[in-house]
Amino acid sequence: MSVETAPRRRRLEPDARRGQILACAVRLFGERPYADVSTTDVAREAGVARGLVNHYFGAKKDLYLEVVRVMVTIPEVALERLPKGDLRTRVDASVTWFLDVVSRHSTSWLAAVTARGMGGDADVERVLAEAEEVAADRMLVAVGLAGEAEHHEELRGMVRAYCGLATSTAREWLQRDALTRAQVHLLLTTTLLTIVEQVIPQVLASDGSTRPAHPAAFSAEDELLDEIDVRGAARRRRAADQDLP
């Protein structure tokens, strides 16, 4: 989710050259709609032959998908750099990292999360969905809940929902200018701490009530309700008989 721009027109190792091309593509796709960017533009910006762009990334769409992926996926290195402190320290550091990245690459990040010019494209949707799954797993690691197996899917669902909130809140700051960075930081840290400290413990302590009840439970409950209805109807009939002249 972070790309550094390498100097142009230098002899670089393959990984460094690939990174340079990708950095230029990130910038161009952030500045212009998809249709207005060509691999020739990217090659010119990177100071390389167009064939080299195709060599590393394939066609234009493949390059674009890689741009979206790198902008929206939480890298493993972000986890490695988190401090070893308590939960609040790690949550604060996680939110700070996220806000640093999206503000540093604001136009490119906004273009990626909104998939500008490619709305509804199945490949883009797949990349965004994969990024959500990676985010869920890595956020659970960040808050120390990766090993929780019994309610793993519920926890991942909560984290995915939180990531959606983080994206929307960052857009309120960067795109709509409705919130300040400090307000976004407060909202995201407080919400994540509330989820981890208050909501998740209740889920872990539950006896499965968050899951659909076993069919037999519904059968027993239906029988009880039927019995109550029958008794109620009988009482109403007796009351009606007593009211007759």
Side-chain angles (χ1 to χ4, degrees), residues 48-65:
V48 301
R50 187 179 68 177
L52 201 56
V53 176
N54 299 133
H55 169 73
Y56 284 118
F57 297 98
K60 169 185 167 180
K61 185 177 180 181
D62 298 317
L63 174 60
Y64 176 74
L65 292 174

Side-chain angles (χ1 to χ4, degrees), residues 92-220:
D92 182 80
S94 298
V95 172
T96 297
W97 173 85
F98 171 69
L99 298 183
D100 284 346
V101 170
V102 300
S103 60
R104 186 182 310 126
H105 303 287
S106 59
T107 56
S108 300
W109 180 78
L110 286 168
V113 296
T114 57
R116 190 172 67 201
M118 293 286 285
D121 182 87
D123 291 324
V124 172
E125 293 299 325
R126 173 178 53 79
V127 170
L128 295 174
E130 289 171 354
E132 288 180 353
E133 298 306 318
V134 171
D137 290 335
R138 290 182 175 164
M139 285 296 294
L140 286 176
V141 172
V143 298
L145 290 169
E148 183 56 50
E150 184 177 358
H151 294 278
H152 189 63
E153 285 308 309
E154 290 102 317
L155 300 188
R156 293 180 84 253
M158 291 180 197
V159 173
R160 283 195 300 268
Y162 172 78
C163 290
L165 171 68
T167 297
S168 298
T169 307
R171 290 182 65 186
E172 293 295 333
W173 166 40
L174 297 171
Q175 192 172 39
R176 299 186 177 92
D177 200 27
L179 298 172
T180 66
R181 172 171 175 145
Q183 291 169 333
V184 172
H185 189 280
L186 177 62
L187 175 59
L188 294 183
T189 53
T190 303
T191 302
L192 184 53
L193 284 170
T194 300
I195 291 172
V196 175
E197 294 180 330
Q198 298 183 34
V199 179
I200 288 179
Q202 294 185 50
V203 172
L204 298 181
S206 72
D207 58 359
S209 58
T210 57
R211 301 174 184 271
H214 190 278
F218 286 112
S219 177

Side-chain angles (χ1 to χ4, degrees), residues 13 15 23-24 66 72 74 79 85 98 103 153 158 207 231:
E13 294 298 321
D15 286 348
C24 293
E66 187 60 24
V72 300
I74 298 176
L79 287 179
F98 171 69
S103 60
E153 285 308 309
M158 291 180 197
D207 58 359
R231 291 178 178 178

